[in-house]
Amino acid sequence: MATMKTKNKYIYDAHSDVVFKAAGAAAITATATSTVLSLNKLSGAYWDNNEIPVRELTIAIVVTACDFTTGDETYVMTAEVAASSGFSTAYEVAHQQILGGSGVGAYSLVIDLDSVVQLGVTPSHIRLKATLAGTSPSLTYAAWIAQGSAA
C-alpha cells in the first residue's frame, strides 16, 4: 500500500472569511496589521453565549521572501484578538519570530482558546500583526486560518 508523504501540512484556503493576507500579495516593508477576520463567520469557531466550541485555532503563515541583507532586520508575527473589529484593545494570543538565514518557510501559530477567555475578553475578531524592524526589512507572506479542532 502506498503512503502519501506531503510536506504541506495546511492547504491554502483563499476564502475571504479565513485569509489574513492573500498569496501573491505585495511585500510589506514596515510594521502592518492584516485584514481583520470575524470569528462569527467561522463555522468551527462560532462564539455562542460566550462558549467556545473549539479548543484551538491554527494560523498558517507561509513566508516566500524575507530580507536579511544588512543583518539587523527582525520579523515577528503576532496573532491578536479583540472584542470589536476596531481593535481598540488588542490582546496578543500567539507570536512567532521569523529567524535569520532566508526566513523562507512555513510557520504556524496555535491559539489556545481556553487561555484567550482567561484574558477576560470574549473575542469576536482576530488579526495578524507583522512587526518589522531594522535597516531594510521586507517581508512577503501569505496567512490564513488553517484549522480549528473540536473539543
Side-chain angles (χ1 to χ4, degrees), residues 46-133:
Y46 184 78
W47 312 120
D48 188 20
N49 297 321
N50 298 329
E51 294 178 21
I52 301 174
V54 295
R55 301 284 58 100
E56 65 182 38
L57 206 59
T58 301
I59 297 173
I61 303 167
V62 176
V63 175
T64 55
C66 195
D67 184 343
F68 286 102
T69 303
T70 57
D72 68 345
E73 292 84 4
T74 60
Y75 305 90
V76 178
M77 305 300 289
T78 305
E80 298 178 331
V81 296
S84 68
S85 62
F87 276 79
S88 56
T89 302
Y91 296 88
E92 178 181 324
V93 292
H95 68 272
Q96 171 70 52
Q97 183 171 2
I98 308 300
L99 300 176
S102 72
V104 172
Y107 302 85
S108 60
L109 298 176
V110 179
I111 301 167
D112 174 15
L113 298 173
D114 288 328
S115 296
V116 170
V117 172
Q118 299 302 315
L119 294 171
V121 64
T122 301
S124 62
H125 291 79
I126 188 168
R127 71 181 180 189
L128 196 58
K129 180 178 180 181
T131 304
L132 283 60

Side-chain angles (χ1 to χ4, degrees), residues 3-83:
T3 303
M4 291 182 59
K5 295 190 181 203
T6 181
K7 292 183 180 183
N8 297 321
K9 187 169 183 177
Y10 304 115
I11 304 273
Y12 178 69
D13 186 342
H15 194 283
S16 62
D17 285 350
V18 297
V19 173
F20 292 106
K21 189 165 188 291
I28 59 172
T29 57
T31 296
T33 56
S34 71
T35 299
V36 172
L37 301 179
S38 171
L39 292 171
N40 291 328
K41 289 187 177 182
L42 301 175
S43 61
Y46 184 78
W47 312 120
D48 188 20
N49 297 321
N50 298 329
E51 294 178 21
I52 301 174
V54 295
R55 301 284 58 100
E56 65 182 38
L57 206 59
T58 301
I59 297 173
I61 303 167
V62 176
V63 175
T64 55
C66 195
D67 184 343
F68 286 102
T69 303
T70 57
D72 68 345
E73 292 84 4
T74 60
Y75 305 90
V76 178
M77 305 300 289
T78 305
E80 298 178 331
V81 296

